[in-house]
Amino acid sequence: MPEMRPPRPGELAIELPDQFDASLYFIGRIRTPWKTLAECPKSTSLRRDVEATVEVDPRYILALKDVQLLSHLILLYWLDRSARNLVLQAPSHVPEPRGTFALRSPVRPNPIGLAVVELVKVDGSKLTIRNIDCLDGTPLIDIKPYHASSDSVPDARRP
Amino acid sequence: MPEMRPPRPGELAIELPDQFDASLYFIGRIRTPWKTLAECPKSTSLRRDVEATVEVDPRYILALKDVQLLSHLILLYWLDRSARNLVLQAPSHVPEPRGTFALRSPVRPNPIGLAVVELVKVDGSKLTIRNIDCLDGTPLIDIKPYHASSDSVPDARRP
């Protein structure tokens, strides 16, 4: 079970449901240079320079057919060290506590991370990518093709 | 358990692992006008016109704080009627079978759907959105703010 960390000032924890509703397979691992949360890059521009590797479980190697034709992918991964019970969070970069669903924090009821990554190379069941910020060894749960027609909203607004 | 459908010509099924690795909570439901797969819109332009509703479980209502400040959200949802065991798929719109990870098909080892949606309105634990194509009643698993700086790649290429 992930750690249920005590809330910081302004944060609020809830009771989670007694039961789960669905289950996931880990389909591989993401290899990055970052072994601790403190080392993970905070800025997008920093992580864009660094190459990382996605090691897909050989069981799924045929599912990678044609992936090399894509310039960008969406990766979903499991943030297995994250608490799941906070609905209000007080990260240091925002002045007031914000709702979990208005944040990209790893702490959420289902701690799924999402990154739009540039695909550099495919070699068997290994993908070389750029633009990820997760810890080394993070479990992979999905790879999707990025479709600019539906996934790209250059003028989306946020606070 | 979702249906493990027999492969069509050119498709390939695999044996899935014996055990799951992680578990999800359903955090709400997506309400759309589409009650059967046959009714779901095939084209993005069609679904852009239609409003849908996200009903978040009241347990998580405080996690919606500040969501109204966002113009676009990323929704993750659970495609609970999808097979999970196909690595090559032959959808009617592609000439040759393609790898699952090069497709946005609902059939994948972890049947998580992803949509970038426009947020129209927040009313308590209900969100009105545009640009979703899933079945009525689809279980919701996450809501994330869309960040154009990292999520928007207008010139991404695909076959």
Side-chain angles (χ1 to χ4, degrees):
Chain A
M1 281 296 289
E3 159 213 16
M4 295 288 126
R5 73 167 167 84
R8 292 192 284 249
E11 294 191 333
L12 190 75
I14 57 164
E15 187 96 4
L16 288 167
D18 292 336
Q19 295 188 56
F20 291 111
D21 298 296
S23 296
L24 299 172
Y25 302 112
F26 294 163
I27 62 165
R29 296 270 165 185
I30 304 174
R31 296 289 163 199
T32 73
W34 307 297
K35 309 291 181 195
T36 66
L37 285 174
E39 290 173 69
C40 284
K42 297 285 173 282
S43 96
T44 305
S45 56
L46 184 61
R47 68 182 193 239
R48 281 211 173 116
D49 296 335
V50 174
E51 290 192 351
T53 307
V54 177
E55 298 175 354
V56 177
D57 183 330
R59 177 192 299 267
Y60 304 105
I61 190 166
L62 287 169
L64 291 170
K65 179 172 179 287
D66 303 318
V67 162
Q68 80 285 353
L69 302 174
L70 300 155
S71 69
H72 290 76
L73 304 172
I74 299 175
L75 302 184
L76 300 181
Y77 39 97
W78 189 251
L79 301 157
D80 53 356
R81 305 198 202 171
S82 290
R84 302 174 70 158
N85 62 338
L86 296 184
V87 287
L88 290 178
Q89 298 181 53
S92 54
H93 67 281
V94 298
E96 278 195 63
R98 199 171 279 181
T100 292
F101 299 144
L103 289 167
R104 290 289 276 264
S105 159
V107 174
R108 45 210 318 117
N110 294 306
I112 296 173
L114 181 159
V116 174
V117 302
E118 182 192 341
L119 179 61
V120 178
K121 193 174 65 176
V122 180
D123 182 11
S125 60
K126 282 191 191 178
L127 314 181
T128 305
I129 57 160
R130 278 201 200 96
N131 201 25
I132 190 121
D133 61 359
C134 66
L135 280 175
D136 185 45
T138 296
L140 181 70
I141 56 178
D142 202 6
I143 301 173
K144 295 181 187 296
Y146 185 89
H147 288 180
S149 56
S150 52
D151 301 325
S152 177
V153 186
D155 57 351
R157 297 181 315 279
R158 59 161 172 146
Chain B
M1 279 296 290
E3 157 213 17
M4 294 288 128
R5 74 168 166 85
R8 291 192 285 249
E11 294 190 333
L12 190 75
I14 57 164
E15 187 96 4
L16 288 167
D18 293 335
Q19 295 189 55
F20 290 111
D21 299 295
S23 296
L24 299 172
Y25 302 112
F26 294 163
I27 61 165
R29 295 271 166 184
I30 304 174
R31 296 289 163 198
T32 74
W34 306 297
K35 310 290 181 195
T36 66
L37 284 174
E39 289 174 69
C40 285
K42 298 286 173 284
S43 96
T44 305
S45 56
L46 184 61
R47 68 183 194 239
R48 281 210 174 117
D49 297 335
V50 175
E51 288 191 353
T53 307
V54 177
E55 298 175 354
V56 176
D57 183 332
R59 177 192 298 268
Y60 305 105
I61 191 167
L62 288 169
L64 290 170
K65 179 172 181 284
D66 304 318
V67 162
Q68 80 285 354
L69 302 174
L70 300 156
S71 69
H72 290 75
L73 304 172
I74 299 175
L75 301 185
L76 300 181
Y77 39 98
W78 189 251
L79 301 158
D80 52 357
R81 305 199 203 171
S82 290
R84 303 174 69 157
N85 61 338
L86 295 184
V87 287
L88 291 177
Q89 298 181 54
S92 54
H93 68 281
V94 298
E96 278 195 63
R98 199 171 279 179
T100 291
F101 298 144
L103 289 167
R104 290 289 274 264
S105 161
V107 174
R108 45 210 319 116
N110 295 305
I112 297 173
L114 181 159
V116 175
V117 301
E118 183 192 340
L119 178 62
V120 178
K121 192 173 67 179
V122 181
D123 182 11
S125 60
K126 282 192 192 178
L127 315 182
T128 305
I129 57 160
R130 276 202 203 96
N131 202 26
I132 191 120
D133 61 0
C134 66
L135 281 174
D136 185 46
T138 296
L140 180 71
I141 56 177
D142 202 7
I143 300 173
K144 296 181 187 295
Y146 186 88
H147 289 180
S149 56
S150 52
D151 301 325
S152 178
V153 186
D155 57 351
R157 296 181 315 280
R158 59 162 173 144

